[in-house]
């Protein structure tokens, strides 16, 4: 007697949704923002949010973001933490979704990290350092500009 395989629609769609779900989860975790290389050319500064007299600023904490090169989306983040408080760095999008979370090294009063934001779409992003409920933020705006060059030739 021959056995035949019959794919039931429920099982087929369940298997497809499972594969898609795993693929999306894998893609979401594929984004690596930090990378370890030597700092490059520090030509352009990003736009900064106005500095507020917050608890962290009074304690001497400061965040500075420099763009490496003039065209890339690689940033050098320097955080001064003179009292060596326990800090956590967050990178958030315009909807306040956390894209990256990293506890900072407490062995020195200055943290330096390099972050690659090239895979991100246009929009407003925030580098935020937190010490419990207290926070200090700097904003980065990614905006793609297209330039059209039209050439005309008459023969």
């Amino acid at each position: 007697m021959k056995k035949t395989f019959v794919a039931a629609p429920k099982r087929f769609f369940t298997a497809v949704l499972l594969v898609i779900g795993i693929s999306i989860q894998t893609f979401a975790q594929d984004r690596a923002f930090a990378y370890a290389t030597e700092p490059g050319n520090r030509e352009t500064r990003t736009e900064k949010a106005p500095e507020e007299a917050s608890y962290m600023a009074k304690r001497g904490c400061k965040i500075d973001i420099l763009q490496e090169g003039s065209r890339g989306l690689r940033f050098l983040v320097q955080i001064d933490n003179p009292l060596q408080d326990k800090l956590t760095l967050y990178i958030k999008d315009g909807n306040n979704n956390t894209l990256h979370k990293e506890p900072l090294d407490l062995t020195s009063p200055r943290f330096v990290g390099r972050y690659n934001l090239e895979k991100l779409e246009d929009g407003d992003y925030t580098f935020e350092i937190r010490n419990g409920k207290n926070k200090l933020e700097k904003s980065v705006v990614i905006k793609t500009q297209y330039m059209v060059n039209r050439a005309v030739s008459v023969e």
Side-chain angles (χ1 to χ4, degrees):
M1 186 167 212
K2 291 184 179 180
K3 292 185 179 181
T4 59
F5 177 73
V6 176
K10 283 185 182 180
R11 289 184 181 172
F12 176 74
F13 287 118
T14 303
V16 169
L17 290 176
L18 182 63
V19 169
I20 290 172
I22 291 171
S23 301
I24 291 173
Q25 183 68 16
T26 304
F27 175 72
Q29 293 178 358
D30 187 37
R31 295 184 177 179
F33 293 106
Y35 62 97
T37 60
E38 290 299 315
N41 188 6
R42 301 177 195 169
E43 295 176 6
T44 309
R45 289 182 162 258
T46 60
E47 293 184 25
K48 294 183 179 181
E51 187 98 23
E52 297 179 4
S54 68
Y55 172 81
M56 293 184 69
K58 290 177 186 175
R59 293 185 58 85
C61 289
K62 185 176 106 174
I63 183 171
D64 193 22
I65 303 173
L66 302 170
Q67 184 178 5
E68 293 183 343
S70 61
R71 295 192 177 253
L73 293 177
R74 295 181 181 197
F75 297 92
L76 181 69
V77 177
Q78 298 177 9
I79 298 172
D80 291 329
N81 184 14
L83 300 177
Q84 297 182 0
D85 293 336
K86 183 177 180 181
L87 299 176
T88 304
L89 172 71
Y90 294 88
I91 300 175
K92 296 185 174 187
D93 65 6
N95 296 324
N96 206 27
N97 296 319
T98 301
L99 304 175
H100 181 73
K101 178 182 174 184
E102 176 181 357
L104 301 180
D105 184 19
L106 301 174
T107 58
S108 70
R110 174 173 274 190
F111 170 82
V112 178
R114 290 167 195 84
Y115 297 89
N116 183 352
L117 304 181
E118 289 178 356
K119 292 186 179 180
L120 297 179
E121 296 180 9
D122 289 358
D124 298 336
Y125 296 92
T126 305
F127 284 83
E128 178 181 294
I129 53 172
R130 287 186 163 263
N131 176 4
K133 292 182 180 179
N134 305 304
K135 66 181 178 178
L136 190 60
E137 300 176 331
K138 293 290 179 176
S139 296
V140 174
V141 177
I142 298 175
K143 184 178 178 182
T144 304
Q145 296 178 347
Y146 297 100
M147 191 161 88
V148 177
N149 289 330
R150 297 176 73 185
V152 177
S153 64
V154 178
E155 294 180 22

